[in-house]
């Protein structure tokens, strides 16, 4: 009889011990993984305190040739990218109305040519008679005047004929490269329609639109230019065109590298201007540069891991132009952060240890 009341008490004690043990296991904090060894990169801050602008290499001469009369393009004797000499035929097209004008111009030129030849012969004959004393001075002067008038008339009709012929042909006004055709053969064009773009084969200047706030210091600021992904080169200001554009609030400035290296016309370029007083908080400070290997991507977002208080924190960035193995950071970094060099395997807030 005495064993029965004891058994529930025993089970109760055992159950209490089990519950106590389970409760302690449920509230036990998991051990944090050990710190991950990471290396950090040095930020390229050479560009700080400067203003970087997109630009392009402009050829010495650039022109868009247009249609002078309405008609149908019949041929493009020159292909895009081909070098041409001055006077080379670039476009030929047919215009019925202009053809009738050309026929009339040729007829006028022929008639003027005959009249000029007759006037010249008459002038020569009168000169001989005047020398022999047969005709008066007034007759000599009249013959000379008629000769000059006929010659001028012939020159005028010849120019009109050349203009009429030019309506059917577009020729290169200077030696260069045909860079673009705006229409295809067989297309109907109206007066003023762009036909081809022609530019000289060598570049002379790098052209950029400088914001209004930086135009006042253009004459004294230091400048550098970069073509494509090439190295930055010291440059000088050639000139600033006109005045500030009221729409874009910028002014076109033209630069040339000091080393006088050959520039490829049409190439993408950038201009860097030294901006006095620009710092990390200035809207005129250009981006920093970091290695591409330090970038972490999450879909369309890009960022880096920054080490703060012994942990790696993901920092989203806005990136700019890539140059070699580095890329510009337009926003997101101040320039004094420790950026993880190889972020593979890291998570936001992970414990890290910076190694030299």
């Amino acid at each position: 009889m005495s064993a029965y009341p004891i058994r529930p008490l025993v089970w109760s004690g055992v159950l209490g011990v089990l519950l106590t043990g389970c409760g302690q296991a449920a509230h036990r904090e998991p051990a944090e993984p050990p710190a991950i060894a990471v290396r950090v990169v040095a930020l390229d801050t050479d560009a700080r305190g400067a203003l970087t602008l997109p630009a392009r290499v402009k050829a010495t001469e650039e022109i868009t040739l247009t249609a002078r009369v309405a008609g149908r393009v019949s041929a493009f004797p020159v292909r895009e990218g081909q070098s041409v000499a001055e006077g080379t035929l670039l476009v030929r097209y047919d215009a019925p109305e202009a053809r009738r004008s050309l026929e009339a111009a040729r007829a006028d030129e022929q008639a003027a040519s005959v009249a000029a030849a007759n006037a010249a012969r008459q002038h020569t004959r009168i000169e001989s008679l005047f020398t022999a004393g047969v005709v008066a001075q007034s007759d000599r002067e009249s013959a000379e005047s008629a000769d000059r008038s006929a010659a001028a008339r012939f020159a005028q009709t010849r120019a009109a004929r050349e203009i009429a012929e030019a309506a059917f042909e577009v020729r290169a006004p200077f030696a260069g490269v045909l860079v673009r055709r705006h229409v295809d053969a067989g297309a109907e064009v109206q007066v003023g329609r762009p036909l081809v773009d022609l530019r000289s084969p060598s570049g002379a200047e790098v052209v950029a639109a400088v914001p209004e706030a930086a135009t006042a210091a253009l004459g004294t600021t230091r400048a550098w230019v970069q073509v494509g992904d090439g190295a930055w080169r010291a440059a000088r200001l050639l000139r600033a065109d006109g005045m500030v554009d009221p729409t874009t609030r910028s002014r076109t400035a033209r630069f040339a590298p000091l080393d006088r290296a050959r520039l490829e016309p049409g190439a993408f370029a950038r201009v860097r201007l030294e901006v006095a007083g620009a710092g990390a908080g200035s809207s005129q400070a250009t981006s920093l540069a970091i290695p591409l290997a330090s970038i972490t991507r999450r879909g369309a977002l890009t960022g880096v891991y920054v080490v703060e208080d012994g942990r790696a924190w993901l920092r989203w960035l806005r990136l700019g132009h890539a140059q070699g193995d580095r890329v510009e950071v337009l926003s997101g970094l101040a320039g004094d952060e420790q950026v993880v060099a190889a972020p593979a395997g890291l998570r936001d807030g992970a414990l890290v240890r910076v190694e030299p």
Side-chain angles (χ1 to χ4, degrees):
M1 297 295 291
S2 61
Y4 289 98
I6 296 174
R7 185 176 297 170
L9 295 175
V10 173
W11 284 108
S12 298
V14 173
L15 182 60
V17 172
L18 292 175
L19 290 175
T20 301
C22 292
Q24 291 175 350
H27 289 86
R28 184 179 300 162
E29 294 293 336
E32 186 171 20
I36 302 173
V38 297
R39 292 185 303 104
V40 296
V41 299
L43 301 183
D44 180 6
T45 58
D46 292 341
R48 296 185 64 190
L51 176 67
T52 302
L53 303 168
R56 72 180 183 95
V57 179
K58 183 182 180 300
T60 306
E61 295 177 286
E62 294 181 345
I63 189 172
T64 297
L65 300 173
T66 61
R68 297 179 179 177
V69 295
R72 181 179 60 84
V73 176
S74 56
F76 282 100
V78 179
R79 65 179 183 276
E80 290 182 347
Q82 183 175 341
S83 298
V84 298
E86 181 179 353
T88 301
L89 178 64
L90 303 179
V91 186
R92 180 184 292 113
Y93 62 99
D94 184 31
E97 296 84 356
R99 189 165 297 281
R100 288 191 290 270
S101 298
L102 175 60
E103 293 173 356
R106 286 174 175 170
D108 287 345
E109 182 187 18
Q110 185 176 5
S113 176
V114 173
N118 291 335
R121 286 194 297 268
Q122 179 66 9
H123 184 199
T124 302
R125 189 174 68 86
I126 294 298
E127 281 289 341
S128 299
L129 294 176
F130 177 78
T131 303
V134 177
V135 297
Q137 176 68 25
S138 59
D139 295 330
R140 179 192 182 192
E141 293 175 352
S142 297
E144 182 180 2
S145 176
D147 186 12
R148 290 180 178 178
S149 297
R153 171 61 181 165
F154 173 62
Q156 182 180 11
T157 57
R158 182 173 56 188
R161 187 263 305 165
E162 291 175 350
I163 293 175
E165 287 181 342
F168 300 93
E169 297 177 346
V170 176
R171 295 183 177 272
F174 53 82
V177 178
L178 181 69
V179 295
R180 183 184 179 188
R181 298 191 319 192
H182 290 275
V183 296
D184 296 324
E188 295 287 340
V189 297
Q190 300 299 319
V191 178
R193 173 73 180 272
L195 298 176
V196 292
D197 290 341
L198 184 72
R199 71 180 178 213
S200 56
S202 60
E205 53 197 21
V206 177
V207 181
V210 180
E212 181 179 11
T215 56
L218 274 177
T220 57
T221 186
R222 292 194 298 171
W224 299 264
V225 297
Q226 180 194 44
V227 179
D229 292 329
W232 286 97
R233 292 179 287 177
R236 62 185 177 91
L237 175 69
L238 295 177
R239 68 181 185 278
D241 294 347
M243 58 186 295
V244 173
D245 188 318
T247 302
T248 62
R249 309 310 307 174
S250 64
R251 186 177 181 183
T252 300
R254 303 172 187 272
F255 302 86
L258 296 180
D259 57 13
R260 301 181 180 274
R262 183 181 183 277
L263 302 176
E264 181 65 27
F268 172 80
R270 292 190 298 172
V271 171
R272 178 176 291 167
L273 302 176
E274 187 179 67
V275 179
S282 172
S283 62
Q284 292 180 331
T286 191
S287 59
L288 305 174
I290 59 175
L292 288 169
S294 64
I295 298 295
T296 294
R297 301 186 184 277
R298 299 285 190 274
L301 299 177
T302 55
V304 293
Y305 280 96
V306 175
V307 178
E308 293 179 357
D309 300 326
R311 296 184 181 274
W313 303 101
L314 184 58
R315 181 86 60 85
W316 299 119
L317 308 176
R318 185 164 66 92
L319 301 180
H321 180 73
Q323 177 186 349
D325 62 348
R326 303 183 76 85
V327 63
E328 284 183 326
V329 180
L330 301 181
S331 63
L333 292 178
D336 54 357
E337 295 90 347
Q338 290 183 306
V339 175
V340 177
L346 284 182
R347 59 179 178 81
D348 197 25
L351 191 66
V352 296
R353 182 181 71 258
V354 176
E355 290 190 341

